[in-house]
Every structure is written in C-alpha cells, then in structure tokens.
Amino acid sequence: MAKITKQRKAIYYIGLGMTVLGFILFISVFFSVAMFMNDPFGASREPSFMNSVLGMVLMIAGSVVLRIGAQGAAGSGILLDPEKAREDLKPFNEAKGGMINDVLSNIDVVENFSKSNEEKEVIKIRCRNCNSLNDEDAKFCKSCGKEI
Ligand SMILES: [Zn+2]
C-alpha cells in the first residue's frame, strides 16, 4: 500500500503557503489602488503593480507545488506514467473510499432512526367530519379544525 510520505506533505504545505502568500500580495495591490484613488495627491502611495505580478506568479507556482505534494509528481502530470500515477493517487482514493463508507453508514443510521419513528406513529385517528387522518393525541383535526 502506497503511503503519503512526509516529504510530500511538506511539499504540500509549502505550496499552500506560496499560494496564500501570492494571494495576499495580489489582493494587497487592489487595496493600495483604492487608497490611491481616494488620495490622488499622495503620489508616494502609487500602487506597485510589480507586487500583483509577483503575487500571481507565486500563486501559480504555489498551486503547482501543491498539486505535486497532493498527488505526487506522476499525478500532477509532470511524470507521464499512468501506472505510477495510480500508485501515487492510491492513498487519496483509499481515503475517499473510507469517507464514502462513513457517509453511507451514517445514512443507514438515519434511515433506521426514521423507520423506528414511523413505526411509533402507526396509530392514527380518522376525523369524523372530513375523514382525514390525525395523530393519536390530536385534539383538533389538522385538516378541518373540528374537535376530535
Ligand atoms: Zn377533519
């Protein structure tokens, strides 16, 4: 069974850090543009578009590193070896399968719960006025409002 190595986890987090840093750099330019618009005489606050370019490059590079960390070099498309790609993706697919199983067993629990609730509410009272079914402990018909 293939395992996610520590190096790949480290690569993943480095990529995440690069993406976040790039995003902040990219976004900060818009804030400085807004500040520049409000204060046209503050020439010293002229926005640096270099920052946005740098931020974008960092974001793109970060996302590539992130993918290498998450899927391995093969899964990212850098190594075109389908056999290796499957090996690399295995732990993630297994994790996904486990999650789906968890969800399914949760659904089972919910279904059993609602079934047992339905069984408890089998007893119904038919309204003498309009013939609609009401709960056992109902005092008034939910359909026509007449006292039962
Ligand atoms: Zn009724």
Side-chain angles (χ1 to χ4, degrees), residues 24-130:
I24 291 166
L25 253 171
F26 184 70
I27 283 293
S28 71
V29 173
F30 291 99
F31 284 114
S32 54
V33 167
M35 258 172 15
F36 182 66
M37 300 283 215
N38 288 336
D39 185 13
F41 299 107
S44 60
R45 283 188 214 163
E46 200 171 336
S48 155
F49 287 103
M50 258 324 275
N51 278 359
S52 93
V53 173
L54 197 75
M56 248 162 77
V57 169
L58 210 60
M59 257 160 70
I60 292 161
S63 68
V64 170
V65 173
L66 204 67
R67 244 164 65 191
I68 295 169
Q71 305 177 344
S76 67
I78 289 167
L79 290 176
L80 292 173
D81 182 353
E83 194 59 45
K84 185 82 178 65
R86 220 172 300 144
E87 265 288 292
D88 277 342
L89 284 170
K90 220 174 162 191
F92 279 93
N93 286 341
E94 274 167 10
K96 231 187 277 170
M99 251 156 65
I100 289 166
N101 280 340
D102 279 354
V103 170
L104 285 179
S105 62
N106 278 343
I107 289 170
D108 272 357
V109 169
V110 170
E111 263 177 9
N112 287 337
F113 182 72
S114 57
K115 258 183 212 155
S116 63
N117 264 4
E118 274 168 28
E119 277 159 18
K120 272 181 209 155
E121 288 180 30
V122 178
I123 303 159
K124 295 267 182 186
I125 293 177
R126 200 174 281 281
C127 171
R128 274 174 290 176
N129 189 45
C130 69

